[in-house]
Amino acid sequence: LEHDMKGNVENHTEITEFVLNGFKSHPGSQLLLSVLFSAMYIVTVVGNACMILLIRTDSNLHTPMYFFLQNLSILDICYSSVITPKAALTFSLGRRLISYSGCASQMFFFSLFGTTEAFFLAAMAYDRFCAICYPLLYPIIMNKRLCLFMVLGSYLSGCINCTIQTGFTFSLSFCGPQEINHFFCDVPAVMRASCSETLVNEMVMLALCGSIIVGTALVVFISYGYIILTIVRMPSAESRRKAFSTCSSHILAVSLFFGSVFFMYAQPGVASSPDESNTISVLYTVVVPTLNPFIYALRNHEVKGSLRKQLRRKGFFQ
């Protein structure tokens, strides 16, 4: 018994790295995956940086809606930077090792930014609810203090969740081949690599992630339920079109994010298919941050107008 206990302690303490085996079963596609991930990361950084710059330089966009959008763009750059560069290097160089501390850090920051994004999207939905359902009270309700409080509250919620998730996951024992069947250190994938009993961890993940996803999604759905009712009752077609155009981009972004995240984290037994999990993970870790600036730019008349104005100033348009 003493020998077994000593062996278990040694197995736990001597682990210095993990092997990321996501998409390893497709050896011919590794270079293609690396090029795709690298290209999407560059587009994510450039697209979101342009969105931040556009909002900061145009005084017409200094409103609560664009304050949240600017913070969402900053978050998407951070969110993507935690996952995509490492994955692209893994695919291109074939170096699938990640250190124990590096894996813990990646999980911590991924959970932090992912949770914060869910709260941001809920805050943006509430902002649109106030703007469309209570237009006269909107400047009073959505004041600078409340906007700042919502952003800080979103990050605080993310900190609480990622601390609990990372702490619980890395309190597990890891023995034998430390292979993670994923392209990054996601909570379910790391738990599957453990030789400990993970039932408590799974219940904690389901309770925490489920309540966050369902709670923020409910705020979004309820807000848009009232928004749709208000838009339908508007007297003129022009006012209905204008109101809907300010919400359509957010609806699309919310659908992509919550659809994929709910599939991954808010259902019991979701970790049963690693290949399916890897594919869905690409959607919300790589694709969504890439698409967000385009969704908000191409489907928003104010952003498109501001972009034309800035390009005209630079001499691109007459």
Side-chain angles (χ1 to χ4, degrees), residues 29-46:
S29 63
Q30 298 301 296
L31 183 60
L32 176 61
L33 282 170
S34 176
V35 171
L36 280 174
F37 272 53
S38 299
M40 293 182 82
Y41 179 65
I42 292 167
V43 172
T44 299
V45 173
V46 173

Side-chain angles (χ1 to χ4, degrees), residues 19-238:
V19 182
L20 298 170
N21 281 336
F23 297 115
K24 192 178 181 180
S25 57
H26 310 284
S29 63
Q30 298 301 296
L31 183 60
L32 176 61
L33 282 170
S34 176
V35 171
L36 280 174
F37 272 53
S38 299
M40 293 182 82
Y41 179 65
I42 292 167
V43 172
T44 299
V45 173
V46 173
N48 282 289
C50 287
M51 182 65 77
I52 295 163
L53 188 63
L54 189 68
I55 292 169
R56 290 181 71 87
T57 54
D58 191 341
S59 59
N60 293 324
L61 300 181
H62 293 176
T63 63
M65 175 182 173
Y66 296 105
F67 172 75
F68 288 123
L69 185 52
Q70 177 180 309
N71 279 280
L72 181 67
S73 293
I74 295 168
L75 189 70
D76 276 340
I77 292 173
C78 298
Y79 185 47
S80 185
S81 297
V82 173
I83 306 296
T84 316
K86 171 65 179 173
L89 283 172
T90 298
F91 297 138
S92 62
L93 302 177
R95 290 180 59 82
R96 295 181 168 272
L97 297 178
I98 185 169
S99 67
Y100 185 90
S101 58
C103 187
S105 299
Q106 190 181 59
M107 181 185 291
F108 180 89
F109 286 109
F110 166 72
S111 299
L112 167 63
F113 297 133
T115 305
T116 304
E117 180 143 351
F119 280 96
F120 269 11
L121 292 172
M124 292 169 77
Y126 179 73
D127 171 73
R128 290 300 81 207
F129 161 73
C130 294
I132 291 169
C133 299
Y134 300 99
L136 298 178
L137 295 174
Y138 177 68
I140 300 169
I141 298 172
M142 296 304 296
N143 54 64
K144 286 183 180 180
R145 187 177 178 180
L146 179 62
C147 293
L148 189 62
F149 175 79
M150 286 175 133
V151 168
L152 293 176
S154 297
Y155 274 106
L156 179 61
S157 302
C159 281
I160 293 169
N161 182 50
C162 70
T163 301
I164 294 171
Q165 291 284 7
T166 308
F168 264 78
T169 303
F170 282 88
S171 66
L172 297 170
S173 295
F174 296 93
C175 45
Q178 295 83 47
E179 296 186 350
I180 297 173
N181 200 345
H182 214 311
F183 62 92
F184 70 99
C185 290
D186 197 12
V187 177
V190 175
M191 281 199 298
R192 283 199 300 270
S194 170
C195 53
S196 301
E197 173 57 54
T198 60
L199 180 62
V200 173
N201 295 68
E202 288 173 15
M203 291 298 102
V204 169
M205 187 188 79
L206 184 64
L208 264 179
C209 292
S211 60
I212 289 167
I213 295 163
V214 172
T216 51
L218 272 176
V219 172
V220 172
F221 293 145
I222 292 169
S223 296
Y224 276 105
Y226 280 106
I227 286 168
I228 290 166
L229 285 174
T230 304
I231 290 174
V232 168
R233 292 171 184 164
M234 287 179 177
S236 68
E238 177 61 24

